[in-house]
Amino acid sequence: NYTAEEMLQSLRRSRSIGSRCARGPNFSSSRGPANNNKKSNRTRDLIISGTSVCCVLGVLYYFEQTKLKAAATRNAAKSVGKASVGGPYSLINQDGVPVTDATYHGHFVLLYFGFTFCPDICPNEINKLTEVLDAIGTKQSLERPILPIFVTIDPTRDTIGQLKYYSRDFDPRFTWLTGTVEQLKAVAKDFRVYIGKVDEEDEVASDSDEGGEYLVDHSSFIYLLGPDGQCLDFYGKGQEVGDIVDSVKLHVHSYSLSNASNSAIS
């Protein structure tokens, strides 16, 4: 028989054991949940880093496109109110084939006026044009390549045969154009090209000095024509190749945007 005190102590021990069983075992030393937390944190960090990189690249692309569009818009605005330069023409190329301005529609054209007996400026500008074409590269976002065209301002001496002979020293991508005196005068006037023939004594020479020893004083510009034949820009002999390349690329980009916009409207 238990005394009352012994029964009370036994009851207290039973309650203590029941309390420990209810709480369950202590897993505080287990490493499973901690490892899961670390993996979760690494995954979260990777997701945040990847999202940040994508956001930065997206912002950079957006600002680059915005800059190009703004430059194209400014360029279009500058052209408003400019004097008309260029116009239709009918000439003949170095192979004796008749051509017109429409022959080259659909292409961007880099047009230069000069003469084959020019001692230095014309050859230098032709070589500069070649550098421009090389810098732009063949991987242009165009259906057709940019065409370089040389138009003589000295048709008396720059016959088909002379142009053919002269072309051998330069890039084969060039087209060389000549025509009658009247035809070339009309083209030069449309493109606002200054021409002044002088002989060796710096006296003005006449158009009748066929085969004579004379130079031709003329303005020296490279004209950029759009696929519709319109003059988009022009570059003097003092402009660097890099500046011309940047300008041409801008006009090409502007043209592409305009075409995309017109297609969307259609």
Side-chain angles (χ1 to χ4, degrees):
N1 294 331
Y2 292 100
T3 64
E5 185 177 351
E6 288 175 338
M7 292 179 66
L8 182 60
Q9 289 178 352
S10 178
L11 180 61
R12 287 175 179 171
R13 285 197 297 271
S14 298
R15 286 180 177 176
S16 176
I17 293 171
S19 177
R20 287 199 298 272
C21 290
R23 287 198 301 269
N26 184 6
F27 291 108
S28 61
S29 62
S30 174
R31 298 195 299 190
N35 282 342
N36 288 339
N37 288 337
K38 288 181 180 179
K39 290 180 180 178
S40 177
N41 290 339
R42 283 198 297 270
T43 302
R44 181 191 61 193
D45 292 342
L46 287 173
I47 292 173
I48 293 174
S49 299
T51 303
S52 299
V53 170
C54 290
C55 288
V56 170
L57 292 176
V59 169
L60 290 175
Y61 177 80
Y62 170 78
F63 279 112
E64 181 65 20
Q65 292 300 308
T66 301
K67 184 172 67 174
L68 286 171
K69 288 180 181 179
T73 302
R74 288 196 302 271
N75 188 68
K78 286 180 182 178
S79 66
V80 176
K82 280 186 177 180
S84 176
V85 177
Y89 58 80
S90 296
L91 298 171
I92 189 168
N93 69 18
Q94 75 274 13
D95 296 318
V97 178
V99 298
T100 68
D101 56 296
T103 303
Y104 309 107
H105 284 183
H107 293 268
F108 281 90
V109 171
L110 287 168
L111 188 71
Y112 181 73
F113 290 85
F115 65 110
T116 65
F117 289 85
C118 179
D120 44 31
I121 294 177
C122 294
N124 289 341
E125 292 302 286
I126 294 171
N127 288 329
K128 181 198 287 186
L129 248 177
T130 301
E131 291 182 44
V132 168
L133 293 173
D134 290 340
I136 293 174
T138 56
K139 295 182 179 180
Q140 305 167 58
S141 58
L142 300 171
E143 294 181 0
R144 302 179 184 181
I146 295 175
L147 300 180
I149 298 178
F150 176 96
V151 181
T152 183
I153 54 172
D154 184 18
T156 302
R157 293 183 297 181
D158 285 345
T159 60
I160 295 170
Q162 171 61 18
L163 289 179
K164 188 81 170 178
Y165 175 81
Y166 187 73
S167 68
R168 297 186 303 178
D169 293 329
F170 297 99
D171 195 296
R173 288 174 287 187
F174 272 85
T175 295
W176 308 79
L177 301 183
T178 188
T180 66
V181 172
E182 290 72 23
Q183 286 174 322
L184 269 304
K185 278 186 175 180
V187 177
K189 181 179 179 181
D190 286 341
F191 281 89
R192 302 175 182 271
V193 179
Y194 162 75
I195 303 174
K197 187 186 294 186
V198 296
D199 63 16
E200 293 297 333
E201 284 74 35
D202 288 335
E203 296 177 356
V204 176
S206 66
D207 291 332
S208 61
D209 293 334
E210 184 173 356
E213 294 296 329
Y214 59 85
L215 299 176
V216 181
D217 185 24
H218 65 97
S219 53
S220 181
F221 290 99
I222 296 170
Y223 298 85
L224 174 65
L225 309 183
D228 57 358
Q230 296 298 311
C231 182
L232 301 176
D233 215 334
F234 54 89
Y235 315 104
K237 64 181 180 180
Q239 289 187 259
E240 299 293 332
V241 169
D243 295 333
I244 299 175
V245 169
D246 290 342
S247 174
V248 171
K249 285 183 175 180
L250 177 60
H251 283 291
V252 170
H253 183 78
S254 176
Y255 177 80
S256 299
L257 286 178
S258 176
N259 268 6
S261 175
N262 290 338
S263 297
I265 293 173
S266 301

